[in-house]
Amino acid sequence: MTIRTRLTFLYSSLLAVVILVFIAATSSVLSWTLRMQVDETLLEVIENERYNAISDIMWPSSGDSMSPKTRSTPGLFLQIWHYNERGQPFLHNVSYSLLGYGYNEPMDPLALGESEQVRRDVIIGGDHRRVISQPLVIDGKIRGYIQAASSLRTVDAAVDRLLKIMLIGGTITILISLLVGDYLARRALRPIDAIAQTAKQITAADDLSRRIPYNGPPDELGQLTHIFNNTLERLERLFNVQRRFVADVSHEMRTPLTIIQGNIDLMRRMGPDEQTMAAVADEAKRMIRLVDDLLLLAKADAGRLPLEQARIDLDTLVLDVFRQAQMLSKEVSVSLGHVEPARVMGDSDRLKQLLLNLLSNGMKYTPPGGKVTLALHREGAHAVLTVSDTGIGIPPEDLSHIFDRFYRVDKARSRAQGGTGLGLSIAKWIAEAHGGEITVSSEVDEGSVFTVRLPLLPDADQQTAPSRPTQPHSRAIRLPRPR
Ligand code: ADP
């Protein structure tokens, strides 16, 4: 059963219950009110006849003293019962309406013997009647009863009529509510239908670019549509990234493999020589680097790359990296700029990797004779590491892409330098995994500045840093320029 049908039935059933309760309550109230009116009339008659009836018992010789009006009122049935010497009730007096039937049984036999007034509905000769029995008490003893009755035919007919009218009206209302409910439910659930249809089309056509059109108000369904569209957008983006990534990886792998294959063919024909073997070894190394970088990023994506959380004195780390970087290039000089003491929380190996990636890039993309400078200072709650070079720079249109995987401004140059196109992606991931960020500014033919901002540990932690004899914390240090 669809939600629409279920909703429609639920609403209509609720309405039906409400209507039935209303009908029951209304007819009960009507029946009760009409009965009260009948009771009032009967009580009035009893009250009028009581005195005469008691006189008849006390002075039997006075005879039949029922008032002529009571006796002859059509639709009013009256019996006056006395007890004989043996204590048995006998019919002393009766209205014409009963005489006509020859009816001489008590109208409410159960009430005879009761010491209180009794009101009861009984069936007499197939007629539904209201009977009130009033004991006649003389000197504290029950000496007889007056039983007055009236037909309930008009009351029953009025209640019946009302019931019929209300049942017909109720049924029509429920039928209308079924139709209106179905229409409203269909209207309200239309966006859900649209979502389901679009989802079906997306699956059938394998097309993540579709979106659900929605022009309604920003209610729950509007939000659902919005969320669904956002999810589609994200999926589409991820899917495209993944597709591009697979294509890039295949392409990146293919180039070194082709070179290796070509060189092996050459060695087969010409015999091995030093240069060809070196080319094969270079390409194999590049592939290993590529696979390592890819593995690292894949683990990072999957959240399976554990980051050590230790207090790190960045100034010490900067010095270590600086020393390592000095070994990397003979043509480009590496220098250390202003270095301030700064303590952060994180993984020192990863932070070293980040800085080495930036430094080696600086060296790769700076012509011989140029300079790469590493510096560290504190700025508010951040430690700011900068790697600046006097290299070729990056064109403005490429700046926003260089942290993307496999993005290279000049593919041939990057390859020639042994680049994999993943170094900056890894650097970005490391900076962000430390709660920081990496940015770049660059001028073509002037050089580039990569800036990494990492959150500093709170002041108290900065102060408790143990002092190291080789790197005094209290002031900025400037190391001698390398070679
Ligand atoms: P690659 O392995 O190609 O160096 P990266 O991810 O490290 O890959 O860098 C991406 C691209 O950004 C590089 O190919 C290069 O075009 C550009 N780039 C990175 N660093 C610099 C720099 N210091 N100067 C100029 N261009 C740079």
Side-chain angles (χ1 to χ4, degrees):
M1 200 192 271
T2 60
I3 295 184
R4 197 182 84 212
T5 323
R6 252 182 289 162
L7 273 179
T8 311
F9 272 114
L10 189 73
Y11 285 140
S12 302
S13 313
L14 269 176
L15 185 69
V17 170
V18 171
I19 289 176
L20 282 178
V21 170
F22 179 74
I23 291 176
T26 318
S27 54
S28 303
V29 169
L30 179 74
S31 161
W32 182 80
T33 314
L34 294 176
R35 243 162 245 263
M36 285 295 284
Q37 283 173 8
V38 171
D39 282 4
E40 264 173 40
T41 315
L42 292 177
L43 286 172
E44 210 175 297
V45 170
I46 287 174
E47 201 47 47
N48 288 342
E49 296 303 322
R50 205 154 70 117
Y51 180 75
N52 293 341
I54 287 176
S55 306
D56 284 351
I57 294 170
M58 290 179 77
W59 299 285
S61 54
S62 59
D64 169 11
S65 55
M66 185 184 286
S67 76
K69 185 174 172 251
T70 306
R71 191 188 294 277
S72 56
T73 306
L76 175 69
F77 309 96
L78 200 85
Q79 288 179 330
I80 296 176
W81 293 85
H82 287 183
Y83 284 118
N84 61 20
E85 301 79 39
R86 294 195 303 278
Q88 288 166 336
F90 67 92
L91 189 58
H92 172 72
N93 216 335
V94 72
S95 59
Y96 288 148
S97 49
L98 283 169
L99 268 184
Y101 287 124
Y103 193 85
N104 45 22
E105 295 298 316
M107 290 190 286
D108 180 4
L110 294 175
L112 298 188
E114 294 286 341
S115 56
E116 302 287 334
Q117 187 188 76
V118 176
R119 301 174 186 201
R120 218 191 310 267
D121 291 1
V122 294
I123 306 285
I124 297 170
D127 192 18
H128 189 203
R129 287 183 199 173
R130 179 76 166 164
V131 181
I132 298 183
S133 306
Q134 175 69 47
L136 296 168
V137 182
I138 301 169
D139 294 336
K141 280 179 84 181
I142 298 173
R143 304 285 299 274
Y145 289 89
I146 299 182
Q147 291 199 329
S150 174
S151 175
L152 286 175
R153 208 177 298 145
T154 42
V155 174
D156 289 345
V159 173
D160 263 10
R161 205 172 308 130
L162 180 84
L163 268 176
K164 267 185 205 139
I165 292 169
M166 296 225 295
L167 280 175
I168 292 170
T171 313
I172 292 171
T173 312
I174 291 167
L175 284 177
I176 292 173
S177 95
L178 272 172
L179 294 176
V180 173
D182 184 62
Y183 168 75
L184 288 179
R186 192 194 301 253
R187 232 180 89 138
L189 295 175
R190 206 173 288 154
I192 293 188
D193 270 351
I195 293 178
Q197 288 308 323
T198 313
K200 255 192 219 160
Q201 285 168 6
I202 288 166
T203 319
D206 207 3
D207 180 4
L208 284 174
S209 66
R210 286 173 195 247
R211 298 288 176 272
I212 297 163
Y214 183 77
N215 306 319
D219 53 10
E220 288 87 342
L221 284 178
Q223 283 173 26
L224 181 67
T225 312
H226 182 68
I227 292 169
F228 193 76
N229 280 341
N230 277 355
T231 310
L232 282 178
E233 203 172 307
R234 223 173 112 73
L235 275 178
E236 187 188 10
R237 211 169 38 232
L238 286 176
F239 193 66
N240 287 342
V241 167
Q242 194 207 28
R243 203 158 31 194
R244 208 183 62 216
F245 187 70
V246 171
D248 285 346
V249 170
S250 324
H251 182 75
E252 291 301 323
M253 297 287 226
R254 200 179 159 71
T255 315
L257 284 172
T258 314
I259 296 172
I260 291 173
Q261 171 85 57
N263 282 309
I264 289 174
D265 286 348
L266 191 69
M267 283 194 279
R268 261 208 203 113
R269 276 187 276 117
M270 317 285 286
D273 70 288
E274 228 8 80
Q275 202 186 346
T276 322
M277 287 209 303
V280 171
D282 273 358
E283 291 306 320
K285 257 192 234 156
R286 181 208 296 281
M287 273 185 59
I288 290 170
R289 237 187 354 259
L290 179 69
V291 171
D292 282 349
D293 284 355
L294 277 173
L295 263 177
L296 187 140
L297 281 172
K299 278 188 192 167
D301 285 349
R304 283 192 293 112
L305 195 62
L307 262 198
E308 209 181 284
Q309 285 297 319
R311 283 152 198 257
I312 299 167
D313 292 317
L314 269 186
D315 39 334
T316 315
L317 186 132
V318 162
L319 289 174
D320 286 352
V321 173
F322 167 68
R323 283 192 200 105
Q324 281 182 42
Q326 278 181 309
M327 318 288 162
L328 294 179
S329 169
K330 291 200 167 57
E331 286 131 4
V332 177
S333 74
V334 183
S335 69
L336 199 63
H338 190 68
V339 175
E340 285 177 12
R343 200 174 242 201
V344 296
M345 201 69 174
D347 188 320
S348 64
D349 284 347
R350 293 289 167 222
L351 288 175
K352 275 185 189 168
Q353 185 178 11
L354 184 164
L355 287 180
L356 279 171
N357 277 1
L358 295 181
L359 285 167
S360 73
N361 273 355
M363 290 180 225
K364 275 192 293 189
Y365 303 108
T366 300
K371 188 167 97 171
V372 180
T373 311
L374 174 62
L376 165 67
H377 70 275
R378 290 161 64 155
E379 204 177 277
H382 287 94
V384 182
L385 292 152
T386 51
V387 177
S388 42
D389 62 58
T390 57
I392 59 170
I394 303 162
E397 64 273 18
D398 295 304
L399 272 180
S400 58
H401 299 293
I402 56 163
F403 294 103
D404 294 350
R405 292 173 192 188
F406 295 116
Y407 191 86
R408 281 170 284 193
V409 177
D410 180 346
K411 251 194 164 115
R413 188 180 194 122
S414 162
R415 274 196 59 76
Q417 302 282 355
T420 60
L422 295 174
L424 285 182
S425 310
I426 292 172
K428 183 172 177 330
W429 175 79
I430 294 173
E432 286 173 358
H434 280 80
E437 59 167 13
I438 183 167
T439 51
V440 60
S441 62
S442 186
E443 285 284 330
V444 176
D445 293 334
E446 295 276 318
S448 314
V449 182
F450 284 86
T451 307
V452 179
R453 297 172 158 273
L454 299 174
L456 280 170
L457 275 174
D459 279 351
D461 289 299
Q462 301 291 334
Q463 280 152 20
T464 53
S467 62
R468 291 175 306 279
T470 41
Q471 295 99 36
H473 281 143
S474 49
R475 59 194 163 81
I477 56 166
R478 195 174 279 278
L479 289 192
R481 253 197 83 140
R483 281 165 290 146

